[in-house]
Amino acid sequence: MKMKSLYFLISVFCVHILHSQTLIHHTTNYFGPNANPVPEFTDALIPESTILTLTGDYYFGHGDRTLSNNMKVEIPLIPEKVSVKVWKTLVEYYYVKDEIVSRRSMQKNSGFATGDFYIQTRIKILSEKINRPAFVLNSTLKTASGSDFKNRRFFNTAGYYFDFELGKSLMFSNSFIDEIRLVSDIGFFSWDVQTPNLNVQDDAIVYGLKLILKHKSISLENTFSGYKGWIRRVEDYGNRPIVFSSKLNFNVRKTLWFVQFQYGIKYFPYEQIRLGVQIPLENFTPNFFGKN
C-alpha cells in the first residue's frame, strides 16, 4: 500500500513538472494579431512635420475575431532627415472559438487587452536623386508592456529590429498615373522567447516590397512582406509569417484618409480590414535650428 502511495505521489510530481514546463510558442500562429506582427515599413521618406496616425482594425477568420485601435506619432527632429516614431495598440477586444482556446492554452474565450509600446528612430542615409534611391535606416525597440499574456494576446518579452528602406520614384506627365514609387525593405528582427529555466532569442530576417501608384490626390499601395525566424519546434510553429496588403489613400486638404485590406498568406491566421487617418501637427514639430 505504501509503494502504491509512493508511485502516486511520484506520478503527480512528474505531471506537475511537465505542466510547469509547457512550451509557449511565441509566434503569430499562437498569439493575437497584434502580438508580433510583420513589421510595417513606409515609403522611404521622413516627414517634414509631426504626423499623428489613428487606425481602427478588424481581424477575422480562423477562429479569432479581434477589434483594436492603434495610435502612432512620428516627430521629425531634423525635418526630412531624422525622426522618432512611437506607436501602441491602445486597446483590443477579442473573441476566439473553443478550439483556439485549447490550442493556445488560453484561460477564456473573450476579453480586453492593451498592446506593447514601440519606439523607433529613423535616419535618412541617402537622399533620392535621379540615379539613386532614397535610403532610410530604422532602429526599433519593442517593449514588454502588453497585457493578457495568459490569454496569448501579447508577449511578455521584449524585442527589437533594424531595417533598411530603399525607395525610388518614377514620374510621368500626360498620363493617368502621375507617379510610380518602388520601395524595398530588408532587416533583422529579434525577440525573447521564454522556455522553462531558459531565455532564448528568436532571430529573423525581415523583408518586404511595396508598389505605390499615385493619381492626383489618390494613391494605391500594394505591399508584400514577412519575416523568417530560425526556431522550429513543431510543424506549424509559425515564426515565418507572410502577408499581403492593399491600401487606398485619399488626400483631403492636408489630411490623409485610408482603407486597407490585409491577407495572411502563411503563418498569420488573420485577415484584416483597417480604417485610418493621418493628421499633420505642424505646431508640435520641434524647431531646434530656429527656422520658420
Side-chain angles (χ1 to χ4, degrees):
M1 190 68 181
K2 289 184 178 181
M3 288 298 294
K4 289 183 177 180
S5 299
L6 180 61
Y7 287 143
F8 176 75
L9 291 174
I10 292 174
S11 298
V12 170
F13 177 76
C14 290
V15 169
H16 174 74
I17 292 297
L18 290 173
H19 179 73
S20 64
Q21 293 190 349
T22 299
L23 290 176
I24 304 299
H25 300 324
H26 288 72
T27 71
T28 55
N29 230 13
Y30 285 85
F31 273 76
N34 296 306
N36 208 46
V38 175
E40 297 179 359
F41 61 100
T42 71
D43 52 1
L45 296 172
I46 294 175
E48 184 177 2
S49 61
T50 297
I51 294 178
L52 171 66
T53 304
L54 301 172
T55 62
D57 297 324
Y58 175 51
Y59 294 93
F60 59 96
H62 312 279
D64 186 324
R65 287 182 292 170
T66 301
L67 280 169
S68 62
N69 55 25
N70 185 283
M71 183 174 71
K72 181 183 299 181
V73 179
E74 183 169 6
I75 304 171
L77 304 180
I78 303 176
E80 300 181 321
K81 297 185 184 320
V82 179
S83 70
V84 173
K85 185 186 292 187
V86 180
W87 67 93
K88 174 182 174 67
T89 297
L90 299 177
V91 65
E92 70 169 29
Y93 171 78
Y94 62 90
Y95 174 81
V96 302
K97 293 184 177 179
D98 291 338
E99 55 265 32
I100 301 299
V101 172
S102 176
R103 183 172 183 267
R104 299 179 183 174
S105 300
M106 297 170 61
Q107 296 182 350
K108 58 182 181 179
N109 292 74
S110 63
F112 292 88
T114 185
D116 300 304
F117 270 108
Y118 288 78
I119 303 171
Q120 183 181 79
T121 301
R122 308 186 66 221
I123 302 173
K124 179 192 286 184
I125 305 299
L126 291 174
S127 297
E128 185 173 351
K129 301 293 184 182
I130 294 177
N131 58 351
R132 77 181 185 200
F135 184 21
V136 175
L137 167 65
N138 301 318
S139 175
T140 310
L141 173 65
K142 171 187 174 294
T143 65
S145 54
S147 68
D148 216 358
F149 169 75
K150 292 181 179 180
N151 287 297
R152 309 298 180 252
R153 303 314 299 177
F154 294 93
F155 297 176
N156 60 352
T157 61
Y160 63 90
Y161 59 90
F162 300 93
D163 64 298
F164 301 92
E165 298 177 10
L166 290 172
K168 187 74 176 71
S169 287
L170 302 174
M171 309 302 294
F172 299 90
S173 58
N174 301 321
S175 174
F176 180 78
I177 301 296
D178 302 320
E179 178 184 350
I180 296 177
R181 186 166 182 82
L182 300 172
V183 185
S184 65
D185 186 67
I186 188 73
F188 173 80
F189 190 12
S190 182
W191 62 97
D192 291 333
V193 176
Q194 289 186 343
T195 60
N197 305 317
L198 183 66
N199 281 342
V200 180
Q201 272 195 172
D202 196 350
D203 302 326
I205 298 298
V206 180
Y207 57 88
L209 291 172
K210 180 178 295 189
L211 172 65
I212 305 174
L213 305 175
K214 295 184 179 181
H215 170 70
K216 296 182 179 179
S217 60
I218 301 174
S219 63
L220 176 66
E221 300 180 20
N222 291 303
T223 305
F224 175 87
S225 58
Y227 62 80
K228 186 175 182 180
W230 71 272
I231 295 179
R232 296 188 67 183
R233 291 173 175 165
V234 293
E235 182 64 27
D236 62 344
Y237 184 61
N239 66 340
R240 299 181 176 186
I242 303 172
V243 297
F244 173 81
S245 66
S246 188
K247 179 181 176 185
L248 188 60
N249 304 300
F250 302 91
N251 283 291
V252 181
R253 296 180 181 178
K254 293 184 178 181
T255 303
L256 180 73
W257 298 83
F258 57 88
V259 57
Q260 172 179 292
F261 175 76
Q262 179 177 276
Y263 176 73
I265 297 175
K266 186 176 182 181
Y267 294 138
F268 190 77
Y270 307 94
E271 273 65 72
Q272 175 212 58
I273 296 174
R274 167 174 286 181
L275 299 175
V277 59
Q278 286 186 356
I279 305 170
L281 302 175
E282 297 177 358
N283 293 334
F284 292 90
T285 303
N287 187 7
F288 297 117
F289 301 98
K291 295 181 180 180
N292 295 325

